[in-house]
Amino acid sequence: MSASPAVSGSLRNRLVLTLIGGAAILALLLFFTVRSYAARVAQQGQDNILGASVTSILDAVALRDGELEVDIPYAAFSMLSTPSDDRVFYAIFQDGELLSGYDDLSATNGRPNGEWVFQSGEVRGETIRQVSASRTLVGLGTRTEVEVALGQTQDALAETLRQISRNAAYLGIGFFTLVAGLSFWATSATIGQLNKLTTSVTRRGPQDLSPFRKPVPREMAPLVSSLNSLMGRLDQSLSQSEDFIAEAAHRVRTPLATVRSYADATLQRVEKEENREALRSMVRAIDESSRAAGQLLDHAMITFRADHLEREEIDLVALVRDLVQRLTPIAEMKDLSLTLVGDPVVIYSGDPILIQNAVRNMVDNALKYAPAESVVEIEVSQGTQAQISVRDQGPGFPPSEIDTLTRRFERGKNAAGTIGSGLGLTIVQDVAKAHGGDLILTNRKGKGACVTLSL
Amino acid sequence: MRYLVALIVTLLASACMAEEWEDQRVFNAAADGPRLRIISSTDTALFAPLIEGFLTQNPDVSVEYLVTGTADLNARVRSAPEAFDVVISSAMDLQLKLANDGFAMPLENMPGSDWAQWHDSLFAFTQEPAAIVINRAAFAGYPVPQTRQELIEALRARPEAFRGKVGTYDIRQSGLGYLFATQDARASETFWRLMEVMGGLDLRLYCCSGDMIDDLTSGSIAVAYNVLGSYATARVEGKEALEVILPSDFQTTMMRTAMVVKNTQYPAVAEAFVRHLIVAGPELAPLPLLTSQQEQETAVITLEPALLTYLDTLKRRKFLTAWEDAVIQK
């Protein structure tokens, strides 16, 4: 009844991917920002200590009797202790000439007093951070410039950076996880509204085509209003088609009845055997048309009702008894008798109009094929399922066709001489299917057919 | 005068270089495995148990143990690092400078505390205080000084008894003597007063702890200042004549350190040997064990770059001048 729609992509996936992708980019950005900022701070820390150390050395420089004295304070190198025991290199230059320390370091020359000059370089295969500062000393008749260069390896800094990177990574991952979780939640909440709408559409009764009244988020309002207008049109067209069926039944049946009664009356008046025969054929043809029209309309009506099955509690025995009473006159015209057997009361929840229609078709069939002076037996029973069986003493079903007889407009090979449209068993079959039951055709052991409607 | 002193120092230094080694011994010479060359400032007698313990665990290794003074040791390692595999010295400052200058090979995952190593390349394995050692005979009937101040007073009280009978390191020759002197000078001004008093008593200068203790035992000197306590204790056993005093005003405690020379031929064996030193425990006796930092009653000289300070040429020159002014009074 409902074909699955063509699916292209998923709104949920698209939302989740967009949000998570954004979160990943933000987390990376956070990681790199925090790391580079912290790295700058850490480098600043090392630079400050180096600067302080150089300053304290420069402070200890003095001219004594024209000779330069550098009394390096113990604290100057002590403050360079790091957890990683970084190596320390220093050099003291007087007017650009190495006075003391490591010759691996070089003088920078020409810098103003006291200003720290930082640079990174390599000494003895190790990357170092180097600071230089100089000071001009003026003594009696002398003027000399002292420069102190101080370098330190960066093992402790590298270790600090590793820790910072690790923490920044944890921060980034934490942020990402949080946002990913949030985006899943937000997506579910959004899609949840759609699911709610879907559920309420699915749960609706078969004939409930009234518009949705429950509040929905603003974004879904256009969808709901389109849905409402579609259902409004559907409701209208359904009721039109119901009207059409009723109208058509009325319009076709009434004139046919009139024609038949005229044909009957004419038959009484006509003497000539030739003409009488022609009129009888006419009456037969009219009967056939009338019956076919009735069954076509029945079938249309049943198709409609089966699509919108409405169940109610009914007593199948009462329903069949009523039908038997109405059909008894027709049976008697054919010299047949109808008997109702089985359980006194069988309660079943189904559509009474459909079931009555189905049983009438079953009895009709039996009446058509049963030989004169025979009994058509109708049994209503409550076993594991409610069952209605109609048994006749006619020729039975041709065994080779027993499976195909329920197709639309299909008639048994032995039915050539009988009036019928081929819709009777199809209608019964449709009713059985609509109620979740089955139609079982069997031949009786002695003679005759058995049609069982199992609900 | 300064030039004269410099000349003497140079001559003495070259004389020291000329004679091969203070001591030289090969352990387990028969072994056909690698021969570990250890240059050390520690007397063979004190160190032999450690080497023998190591050789028991590594029977295919032989050890050549070369002993020299701390300053000479430093010079030899600097001029020919490839000639040695392991360097052991009590002069922490010189050792740290060797490591800082890149002569040591960093070792990973070594046992021992963080404060007892530097840059994963210099490893401390003993902890030895500088002591005042006296010949009891010289103090018979007088109180034994327990602090530097009391020592000063004792020396001043009887200058004639102590003239020419006081000894200490010649810090120009001995790296350890220089380390003790600089650390003393950092700790207290008393050091300078003591030096001046001792200088006034025709102070006798020594290159090594061993010689000082020999002269103390023989009675040719009565007091030795800043002698290695461990050496003195080793000798004191059975020698009632000597008394080791750990000054109660402040103590200067050094840690004996070991390093593996960079580009050693046998890095694995050398590393195993240093590891053996660190975990040796009682085998070290009579060298004192490292105690954990919490248990330390006195400050131990820290392994830190500050040790480079007094090794600076200018700073060293200034310190030696001051020391000579105090000690050499003519």
Side-chain angles (χ1 to χ4, degrees), chain B residues 92-155:
Chain B
M92 290 167 73
D93 48 353
L94 292 174
Q95 290 281 84
L96 189 110
K97 189 155 162 63
L98 279 177
N100 190 59
D101 293 3
F103 286 95
M105 184 174 79
L107 308 175
E108 278 170 16
N109 302 321
M110 294 295 279
S113 313
D114 191 50
W115 57 267
Q117 61 83 30
W118 190 80
H119 205 262
D120 292 330
S121 46
L122 189 62
F123 300 91
F125 62 98
T126 71
Q127 178 180 316
E128 305 171 43
I132 301 168
V133 183
I134 59 163
N135 189 315
R136 286 183 206 275
F139 284 86
Y142 295 94
V144 173
Q146 295 301 323
T147 64
R148 289 171 182 78
Q149 190 58 43
E150 284 173 23
L151 179 61
I152 290 171
E153 284 158 14
L155 294 177

Side-chain angles (χ1 to χ4, degrees), chain B residues 76-92:
Chain B
R76 282 181 194 252
V77 173
R78 280 181 184 277
S79 62
E82 68 285 347
F84 313 101
D85 300 306
V86 176
V87 182
I88 294 162
S89 170
S90 50
M92 290 167 73

Side-chain angles (χ1 to χ4, degrees), chain A residues 153-369:
Chain A
T153 55
Q154 301 197 289
D155 297 352
L157 188 79
E159 177 58 32
T160 310
L161 284 186
R162 256 197 300 282
Q163 282 172 9
I164 289 171
S165 295
R166 202 166 44 230
N167 289 340
Y170 288 150
L171 187 69
I173 290 169
F175 175 79
F176 175 75
T177 315
L178 195 73
V179 176
L182 272 176
S183 58
F184 272 113
W185 176 79
T187 309
S188 314
T190 312
I191 302 294
Q193 292 291 340
L194 278 177
N195 288 343
K196 252 204 263 177
L197 182 67
T198 311
T199 312
S200 63
V201 173
T202 316
R203 278 203 190 142
R204 289 197 146 207
Q207 292 195 326
D208 184 3
L209 292 174
S210 62
F212 286 95
R213 297 281 175 224
K214 272 193 201 159
V216 291
R218 187 183 305 128
E219 291 75 10
M220 279 162 60
L223 173 66
V224 170
S225 76
S226 320
L227 204 58
N228 282 346
S229 101
L230 177 67
M231 283 195 298
R233 277 176 283 152
L234 189 62
D235 194 22
Q236 203 185 352
S237 97
L238 277 177
S239 56
Q240 273 175 359
S241 102
E242 249 175 303
D243 290 350
F244 174 76
I245 290 170
E247 188 70 21
H250 181 67
R251 295 266 171 116
V252 174
R253 272 178 177 168
T254 315
L256 277 178
T258 314
V259 171
R260 196 188 188 280
S261 64
Y262 278 118
D264 266 345
T266 312
L267 186 61
Q268 301 302 320
R269 290 202 295 272
V270 173
E271 301 279 318
K272 214 173 170 184
E273 192 51 35
E274 232 177 69
N275 294 344
R276 285 180 72 87
E277 191 50 41
L279 275 170
R280 265 187 223 107
S281 302
M282 205 171 126
V283 169
R284 255 201 313 278
I286 290 165
D287 279 351
E288 204 165 330
S289 293
S290 169
R291 189 184 161 82
Q295 276 191 327
L296 261 175
L297 295 173
D298 278 355
H299 187 260
M301 187 267 290
I302 281 159
T303 307
F304 172 75
R305 288 191 79 97
D307 279 351
H308 306 86
L309 187 68
E310 268 184 282
R311 287 171 185 269
E312 59 185 79
E313 294 277 311
I314 43 170
D315 178 10
L316 289 179
V317 180
L319 183 141
V320 173
R321 187 181 298 122
D322 179 48
L323 191 67
V324 167
Q325 274 169 10
R326 280 200 274 133
L327 290 176
T328 299
I330 301 169
E332 278 168 355
M333 274 166 60
K334 295 194 173 183
D335 293 331
L336 292 169
S337 63
L338 295 171
T339 61
L340 177 61
V341 297
D343 296 330
V345 174
V346 175
I347 301 297
Y348 179 74
S349 166
D351 186 333
I353 296 173
L354 288 185
I355 294 173
Q356 199 171 41
N357 210 301
V359 177
R360 201 184 68 223
N361 273 288
M362 285 156 73
V363 176
D364 268 355
N365 262 359
L367 293 180
K368 265 192 279 172
Y369 293 101

Side-chain angles (χ1 to χ4, degrees), chain A residues 64 67-75 77-78 80-81 83-90 92 99-102 124 126 153 155, chain B residues 97 99-103 114 117-120 183 186 262 301-315 317-318:
Chain A
R64 187 162 297 175
E67 215 174 313
L68 196 70
E69 248 185 38
V70 185
D71 189 7
I72 303 175
Y74 205 71
F77 291 155
S78 195
L80 298 179
S81 286
S84 306
D85 297 328
D86 278 302
R87 291 166 70 182
V88 171
F89 304 100
Y90 73 97
I92 301 168
L99 203 61
S100 161
Y102 291 78
R124 302 190 184 205
E126 297 239 37
T153 55
D155 297 352
Chain B
K97 189 155 162 63
N100 190 59
D101 293 3
F103 286 95
D114 191 50
Q117 61 83 30
W118 190 80
H119 205 262
D120 292 330
Q183 295 294 329
R186 272 187 66 220
K262 198 176 173 180
I301 301 169
T302 324
L303 279 173
E304 58 171 357
L307 286 174
L308 301 177
T309 313
Y310 282 98
L311 296 180
D312 176 64
T313 328
L314 302 175
K315 181 100 176 172
R317 194 161 67 204
K318 187 167 181 282

